[in-house]
Amino acid sequence: MSERIATVSRDTKETQISVTLNLDGEGNLKGESGVPFLDHMLDQVARHGMVDLDIDVTGDLHIDDHHTVEDLGITLGQAFAKAIGDKRGIYRYGHAYVPLDEALSRVVIDFSGRSGLFMNVDFTRATIGRFDTQLFWEFFQGFVNHAQVTLHIDNLKGFNAHHQAETIFKAFGRALRMAATEDPRMAGKMPSTKGSL
């Protein structure tokens, strides 16, 4: 298996971000975004996706968290697109249901080459700590646009907003892991009748 590792940097007047991603990692997150609850969620993605993430982030947090969260989603999406390569031999599709106490979420992903976010989540609170729950949509929109994936996110149950978010990110990590895994029966083959993705 060839190494599936990518480093991507994004440098704007609002944020300076570098992400190194190892798709075949051990589930480790290194670095901080400056947005503590987002770091907690990224830790779930790394652990449950069994990817290694190394992030270096400077953002205009004196304004608010928006640019940092969105741009980290963009950069992470670019890193996934680069690390996954031409997608030959991968499962392509991934899905996961994850519960946490009363909360239950489902995430389904397709490394389709087409960007689409379909997110059905009604958070029970507008903020989790100081984190604005609207920013989750911005994060995932940035991710799908640059990873070029179709992503369906549904929170099926939950009244604790922390639990809602955590089940989403755990399921996201597990769905990514399933989709990006190399399928021994598809070795070297494109997982599409079109011949490319």
Side-chain angles (χ1 to χ4, degrees):
M1 183 186 302
S2 60
E3 285 191 338
R4 300 189 299 166
I5 300 172
T7 298
V8 175
S9 295
R10 178 177 174 83
D11 190 354
T12 73
K13 291 181 180 179
E14 297 168 342
T15 62
Q16 298 79 50
I17 298 175
S18 177
V19 171
T20 297
L21 167 70
N22 180 355
L23 283 179
D24 304 300
E26 298 178 353
N28 298 315
L29 171 68
K30 293 181 183 177
E32 297 177 352
S33 68
V35 182
F37 192 74
L38 181 61
D39 293 339
H40 180 43
M41 295 299 99
L42 291 175
D43 199 19
Q44 304 304 324
V45 173
R47 182 61 49 87
H48 293 278
M50 285 304 291
V51 298
D52 290 339
L53 284 174
D54 192 344
I55 61 173
D56 184 12
V57 182
T58 301
D60 55 359
L61 298 176
H62 60 285
I63 296 174
D64 70 4
D65 295 344
H66 187 285
H67 299 141
T68 298
V69 174
E70 180 181 23
D71 288 5
L72 191 49
I74 289 170
T75 311
L76 185 61
Q78 291 171 333
F80 263 90
K82 187 175 178 181
I84 206 88
D86 70 1
K87 304 169 195 165
R88 288 183 186 277
I90 66 168
Y91 278 98
R92 174 180 167 177
Y93 302 101
H95 63 273
Y97 284 82
V98 170
L100 175 55
D101 297 343
E102 88 298 343
L104 174 65
S105 292
R106 174 184 60 216
V107 174
V108 183
I109 192 166
D110 176 11
F111 276 92
S112 60
R114 297 181 302 279
S115 304
L117 175 62
F118 305 91
M119 187 168 174
N120 182 21
V121 181
D122 292 319
F123 283 104
T124 58
R125 297 186 61 185
T127 59
I128 302 171
R130 69 176 182 91
F131 189 89
D132 179 353
T133 56
Q134 288 184 327
L135 295 181
F136 289 126
W137 190 91
E138 300 294 342
F139 174 85
F140 286 116
Q141 186 67 64
F143 179 85
V144 301
N145 284 345
H146 294 270
Q148 294 188 313
V149 300
T150 302
L151 182 63
H152 290 258
I153 300 171
D154 294 282
N155 175 241
L156 305 174
K157 297 178 182 179
F159 58 79
N160 181 302
H162 186 130
H163 292 174
Q164 289 177 292
E166 192 162 329
T167 57
I168 288 166
F169 276 83
K170 286 177 176 176
F172 178 56
R174 289 191 168 267
L176 282 169
R177 178 179 173 184
M178 180 186 290
T181 294
E182 294 189 324
D183 179 356
R185 295 187 65 198
M186 288 288 288
K189 295 179 183 176
M190 185 62 65
S192 170
T193 56
K194 291 190 292 289
S196 65
L197 287 170

